[in-house]
Each structure stands twice: as C-alpha cells, then as structure tokens.
C-alpha cells in the first residue's frame, strides 16, 4: 500500500478493516501502518511481547523538547454470528456515506485519522518537536502485552510523550460531544463457596452453599459504594453470574460460584475495595460455616487528568471542526488510557461509538474526515 502525503483517512480505514485482526491476530494491519509511517520519515520499531504485535513510531529527534503522542489499537472483537451481518464484516463497503465492518468504529478509523493527520502535518509543517505514535494489537484482549509492552519499550529506549491523545470512540450520539479526561477503575471478583452435598429431604445432613452465596451477593450488591465525586458518577457493583451446575432438584450441591464486576471512581482503589470484600467474605464464612475462595482481578485504577491546557486544546479543535462544544467526561468502560496516564497526561477523543462491538458496526465517512481535521488542528495548536 503506497499512501504518501495528503493521506486519505477513509482509504486507510478501509485498508485496515480489510485485515481480519480479531484479537490477538494482527492479520497485516500493523504492517500497513509500519510501511506508511516509515515512508513518511517516522522511525518505527516493533515492541512485540507474548505473541502480540505492537508498533512504536516517532517523527523527530529523540529527546526533543516537546513530544505529542497518539495511542490506539488495531485488534477487534469477534464478529459473532456472521449470518446476522447485512454487510460483510471485513470488506469495508460504503453505502450512503456509511462504511460497514468490524473495527470501523472501534477503532481503526481513529488510528487511520491520527496516522493520516500526523503524516500530513510533519511533512507539510515540520514541527519543532516530536510526534510519537503507539499502536497495539492487544486492547480488546487481556491487555497484558499491548500498551504496557509499548510503555516498557519506551522506558528501556528513553522514548517519551509529554502528552497523549487516545483515539478511542468517545461520543455517545453526536460527533464532537464528548472528550474523556479520565476513566473509572474496573475490577472483577470471582467467588467459590464450598459446603457439603446432601439429599434435599435431609438438609440437616448437608451444608448448602447457596444461601451463603445469595447472602454474600445481596450484601455486596445492596451497599451504596458512594454518591459520586467531583468528576465521576457513583461507583457501581453488578452481580454478573451465579452458577451451581446442579440439574437435580433433590440434591443439595456441594459448591457454587459467582462473580461481580465493580466500576469505581476516585473515592476508592482496587486495594480498598478488595479489603472490603475480604471482610464481607469472612462474615459469610463464619456465619454459614462454609469455605469461600475468592479471585480478584483489577483491570485498572480510576484516574483523572484535571481540566487544563490539554483538554482545553482538544476542546478548541473539536469545536472549530464540528461546531460542537464537547463535554469533559469520565463515563464509560476502560481503555488503554489507564496505562498511558502513568507515563504522561492523557485525554481521549474519537468518533461516535454507538455501533462498536455490534453486528453491522459502522462509521460515517464524513466523521472520519472530520476526525483527521480535529487531530491536525490539535497538532498545529500544540506546536504553535
């Protein structure tokens, strides 16, 4: 693929969508970007780890006084039932100004837009500073060997970003309406309650784990974690599964399992919530005489990039291009911004995300063009 100056972000989005890069497969998507960025004068390197491909690219000299960074991913979620799609999921067909395909929204269009903006900007107006691009193939998966591997590569090779923009889709309904300046933390806790199996007609000879599990789930789900904070909505806890695997109605099972997912704001940490859950588990264990095993996975801590120069700069660019004044928000799930925030100040701005992960995922061609223009204006403002 030979795209040079004046890179068409729509054409580049289509080329990336045609790579069936269902996580953790790459399917050639990062090779397209590697060639494109290398041809434009970016110093490119692979930061692969654990079988995951990750691309680092820098325009400008290492150690420049100013460095603006973009971050994104090219891996996508599975397509589900292909028969349910009315448009082929990996053909990037355009109909009535809409491009269809897995990854069109989340987030190959975002990657295409910032790659195109960066290439055109550095070739047309070489800045006094560096532009850094990091793209992973492990955002939709375990996220262990993706952006974390890129950050490790940067630390080992004395590379840096002074600020970073993640190109995830951030707008709920209208292009330009929302910038993410933080994210809630996320953790999942799995429970296994072990009692004693027995006949349901003789419950005194058994120790039913189900009442213990139901009491535990009720105690966890009934607690109001907080009322929200200055920049965050209230934290939430959802019971996502309860399983016994018991088809018999005359048998008290020996054990059962369950899981909860917690999305938490800056009033909590993974450690403080883990400590609370440990107390609740201990109360159930002693009260019901059962064994309780727990497994905690903290996907990310909550974080906030306080409103300031970075968010103001992005807001100006969004308003100039779209005519919409964006809201600064911390809503939604997790993204790789949770890793970038440990390196430098980070915000997120991208397309309307209504169709992401859905059948017939799609994006407005006009919005892709607008997004490239937003990113271009941000670079112009940053290096002015």
């Amino acid at each position: 693929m030979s795209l040079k100056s004046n890179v068409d972000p729509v054409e580049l989005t289509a080329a990336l969508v045609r790579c069936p890069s269902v996580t953790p497969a790459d399917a050639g998507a990062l090779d397209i970007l590697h060639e494109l960025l290398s041809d434009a004068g970016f110093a490119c390197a692979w930061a692969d780890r654990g079988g995951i491909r990750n691309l680092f690219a820098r325009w400008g000299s290492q150690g420049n006084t100013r460095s603006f960074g973009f971050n994104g991913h090219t891996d996508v979620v599975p397509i589900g039932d292909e028969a349910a799609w009315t448009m082929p999921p990996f053909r990037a067909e355009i109909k009535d100004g809409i491009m269809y395909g897995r990854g069109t929204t989340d987030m190959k269009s975002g990657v295409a837009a910032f790659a195109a903006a960066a290439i055109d900007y550095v070739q047309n107006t070489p800045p006094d500073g560096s532009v850094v691009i990091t793209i992973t193939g492990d955002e939709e998966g375990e996220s262990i060997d993706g952006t974390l591997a890129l950050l490790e590569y940067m630390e080992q090779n004395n590379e840096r970003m002074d600020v970073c923009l993640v190109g995830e889709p951030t707008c709920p309904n209208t292009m330009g309406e929302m910038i993410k300046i933080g994210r809630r933390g996320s953790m999942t806790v799995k429970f296994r309650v072990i009692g004693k199996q027995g006949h349901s007609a003789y419950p005194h000879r058994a120790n039913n784990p189900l009442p213990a599990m139901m009491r535990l789930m009720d105690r966890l789900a009934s607690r109001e974690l907080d009322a929200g904070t200055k920049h965050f909505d209230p934290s939430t806890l959802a019971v996502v599964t309860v399983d016994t695997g018991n088809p018999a109605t005359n048998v008290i099972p020996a054990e059962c399992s369950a899981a909860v997912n917690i999305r938490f704001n800056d009033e909590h940490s993974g450690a403080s919530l883990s400590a609370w859950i440990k107390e609740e588990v201990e109360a159930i264990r002693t009260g019901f005489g059962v064994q309780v095993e727990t497994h905690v996975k903290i996907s990310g801590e909550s974080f906030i990039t306080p409103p300031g120069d970075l968010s103001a700069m992005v807001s100006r660019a969004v308003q100039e291009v779209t005519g919409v004044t964006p809201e600064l928000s911390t809503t939604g799930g997790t993204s790789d911004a949770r890793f970038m925030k440990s390196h430098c100040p980070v915000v997120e701005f991208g397309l309307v995300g209504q169709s992401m992960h859905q059948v017939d995922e799609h994006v407005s061609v006009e919005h892709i063009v607008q997004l490239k223009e937003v990113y271009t204006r941000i670079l112009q403002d940053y290096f002015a």
Side-chain angles (χ1 to χ4, degrees), residues 3-311:
L3 296 170
K4 301 294 185 180
S5 187
N6 297 319
V7 178
D8 183 350
V10 178
E11 181 184 343
L12 181 54
T13 298
L16 295 175
V17 170
R18 292 184 186 116
C19 300
S21 53
V22 177
T23 194
D26 173 62
L30 286 172
D31 289 321
I32 291 173
L33 293 161
H34 185 281
E35 178 184 352
L36 184 64
L37 291 163
S38 296
D39 288 350
F42 281 75
C44 295
W46 296 106
D48 300 351
R49 192 173 77 183
I52 300 295
R53 302 198 78 192
N54 301 297
L55 177 62
F56 174 87
R58 171 180 38 80
W59 187 95
S61 300
Q62 187 180 41
N64 270 333
T65 54
R66 289 183 295 176
S67 178
F68 189 94
F70 290 102
N71 172 264
H73 66 91
T74 52
D75 62 321
V76 299
V77 297
I79 62 172
D81 181 9
E82 187 170 359
W85 287 68
T86 61
M87 304 289 279
F90 295 113
R91 201 175 294 171
E93 291 189 3
I94 297 175
K95 181 179 180 181
D96 299 328
I98 303 294
M99 182 188 296
Y100 292 84
R102 176 59 84 224
T104 48
T105 298
D106 189 11
M107 60 163 289
K108 290 181 175 180
S109 50
V111 170
F114 67 59
I119 289 169
D120 288 358
Y121 178 70
V122 300
Q123 291 189 341
N124 295 327
T125 316
D128 178 20
S130 299
V131 178
V132 172
I133 291 177
T134 57
I135 307 171
T136 179
D138 184 35
E139 197 273 347
E140 301 290 7
E142 292 296 322
S143 299
I144 297 172
D145 295 311
T147 292
L148 286 173
L150 283 160
L151 289 171
E152 181 181 60
Y153 169 86
M154 291 174 66
E155 182 177 359
Q156 292 173 348
N157 291 275
N158 297 315
E159 299 282 6
R160 78 173 204 283
M161 302 174 179
D162 291 325
V163 294
C164 180
L165 192 153
V166 177
E168 287 279 6
T170 58
C171 302
N173 302 294
T174 303
M175 181 62 178
E177 68 179 314
M178 186 172 288
I179 296 169
K180 303 285 188 181
I181 60 169
R183 294 278 186 166
R184 294 180 297 174
S186 175
M187 63 186 291
T188 297
V189 188
K190 296 181 179 180
F191 305 90
R192 180 173 174 237
V193 175
I194 304 168
K196 181 180 178 182
Q197 183 173 319
H199 197 298
S200 59
Y202 304 96
H204 58 285
R205 297 177 181 172
N207 188 1
N208 195 337
L210 285 169
M213 181 67 84
M214 289 187 285
R215 181 68 62 83
L216 177 60
M217 292 299 101
D218 179 62
R219 287 174 66 99
L220 296 179
S222 298
R223 175 168 171 174
E224 181 182 284
L225 294 174
D226 56 71
T229 63
K230 180 178 180 180
H231 294 291
F232 288 90
D233 291 335
S235 302
T236 61
L237 182 150
V239 179
V240 294
T241 184
V242 179
D243 302 289
T244 64
N246 177 27
T249 58
N250 61 346
V251 175
I252 293 172
E255 62 182 65
C256 64
S257 61
V260 301
N261 182 258
I262 307 174
R263 302 298 172 115
F264 56 95
N265 59 34
D266 52 353
E267 189 169 317
H268 308 278
S269 66
S272 67
L273 290 168
S274 296
W276 164 59
I277 287 172
K278 184 177 180 181
E279 293 176 359
E280 295 291 350
V281 165
E282 181 61 20
I284 294 300
R285 187 190 67 80
T286 57
F288 287 83
V290 293
Q291 299 179 52
V292 185
E293 298 175 356
T294 61
H295 179 266
V296 178
K297 179 181 179 181
I298 301 171
S299 301
E301 300 286 348
S302 67
F303 74 93
I304 181 77
T305 299
D309 292 343
L310 178 58
S311 55

